[in-house]
Amino acid sequence: MSDNEVKETAVAEQSDNNAAATKSDERKGRRGGRNERRNRRDHEENRGDEMLDRVVTINRVAKVHKGGRTFSFAALVVVGDGNGTVGVGYGKSREVPAAIAKGQLDAKKHMFTVPRVRGTITHPVIGHDAAGTVLLRPAAPGTGVIAGGAVRAVMECAGISDILTKSMGSDNAINTVNATVAALKQLEEPEEVAARRGLSLQEVAPDRLLRERAKGIAEAREAREKAAAEKAAEKKDGE
């Protein structure tokens, strides 16, 4: 083979390699664009969900088999909307992110509504679960959440901003959270108690509770009116 033929063959091979590299880059670019759009869509969906979640604890579980030792993780997760709805879930997996995701799904399946009056609960209550015992008491506005880490996570996700709590049993996070949930599920609205007893609302609920409830309703109505006015002003400015 002559030198010219060798040069022509080398040039042809280089051209083929460049073309293949160009096609590969184009495929990677298209794939990257699809992944970017997918990630952006997932981020927008998660941002629009507006759900609060708190990981209370993550336990590592080791199992010894004939072939060796394997590890798995169990995550206790609290999920809520910050407006009176909360749920607790427990997820297990060999990876921490997967365990947290399973815990979030389990918590969303077990969500319930908590009666509230101006950011606090309606009446004192004690919850029990296994060796866990938790006391919850209403608090005045501005008190804050007086609670430990496990109970605080449930209160924040439930949208309770003023409350007094006391853990009187086991310090295990799972027992404490389950006892807190049991206590919140015992809360009742004054109308429910009045209907069950066959009495009027004034005879069942104390005057202070009724006053605080009326203030809360008025504040919520003012907040809605203010939000509607701001939205109308923004729409008018946009036009």
Side-chain angles (χ1 to χ4, degrees):
M1 183 179 292
S2 63
D3 295 339
N4 293 333
E5 291 178 351
V6 172
K7 291 181 180 180
E8 291 177 358
T9 303
V11 171
E13 291 179 354
Q14 184 65 28
S15 300
D16 294 340
N17 293 335
N18 293 338
T22 302
K23 291 181 180 179
S24 178
D25 292 340
E26 291 177 355
R27 286 195 297 269
K28 290 181 180 179
R30 290 194 297 269
R31 191 181 302 114
R34 288 196 298 269
N35 293 336
E36 183 179 356
R37 289 192 296 271
R38 187 182 300 112
N39 294 336
R40 189 186 306 116
R41 183 172 62 252
D42 295 341
H43 176 71
E44 291 176 353
E45 291 177 356
N46 294 334
R47 183 178 58 187
D49 196 8
E50 294 184 357
M51 296 293 289
L52 302 175
D53 61 273
R54 299 287 186 272
V55 179
V56 179
T57 183
I58 298 177
N59 296 326
R60 189 180 71 168
V61 181
K63 293 184 179 180
V64 180
H65 301 279
K66 184 177 181 180
R69 179 181 298 180
T70 60
F71 295 94
S72 62
F73 299 90
L76 180 64
V77 185
V78 182
V79 176
D81 61 353
N83 194 26
T85 303
V86 68
V88 176
Y90 199 67
K92 299 179 181 179
S93 179
R94 294 193 176 184
E95 300 293 336
V96 173
I100 294 175
K102 288 182 179 181
Q104 292 174 346
L105 292 177
D106 187 47
K108 291 179 180 179
K109 294 178 182 178
H110 299 89
M111 298 186 76
F112 61 97
T113 303
V114 180
R116 300 179 304 154
V117 177
R118 296 191 68 190
T120 188
I121 58 178
T122 53
H123 56 84
V125 65
I126 298 178
H128 303 276
D129 185 85
T133 301
V134 175
L135 168 66
L136 306 180
R137 293 183 63 87
T143 303
V145 178
I146 310 301
V151 181
R152 178 181 294 274
V154 180
M155 298 299 124
E156 290 178 352
C157 293
I160 298 176
S161 57
D162 302 296
I163 192 170
L164 302 173
T165 70
K166 178 65 177 178
S167 178
M168 302 182 296
S170 170
D171 59 353
N172 181 275
I174 298 176
N175 292 338
T176 303
V177 169
N178 289 335
T180 304
V181 171
L184 293 177
K185 288 184 177 180
Q186 297 179 29
L187 295 174
E188 294 181 305
E189 294 282 1
E191 290 82 1
E192 298 177 359
V193 179
R196 186 175 66 250
R197 296 181 181 180
L199 302 174
S200 64
L201 185 62
Q202 289 72 18
E203 293 175 336
V204 172
D207 295 337
R208 180 180 178 182
L209 176 61
L210 297 178
R211 289 195 302 269
E212 293 294 330
R213 191 176 185 184
K215 290 180 181 178
I217 294 174
E219 291 176 356
R221 183 172 60 251
E222 291 177 359
R224 288 194 301 268
E225 293 176 353
K226 184 177 179 180
E230 291 178 354
K231 187 176 181 180
E234 291 178 357
K235 185 177 180 180
K236 186 176 180 181
D237 294 339
E239 295 176 351

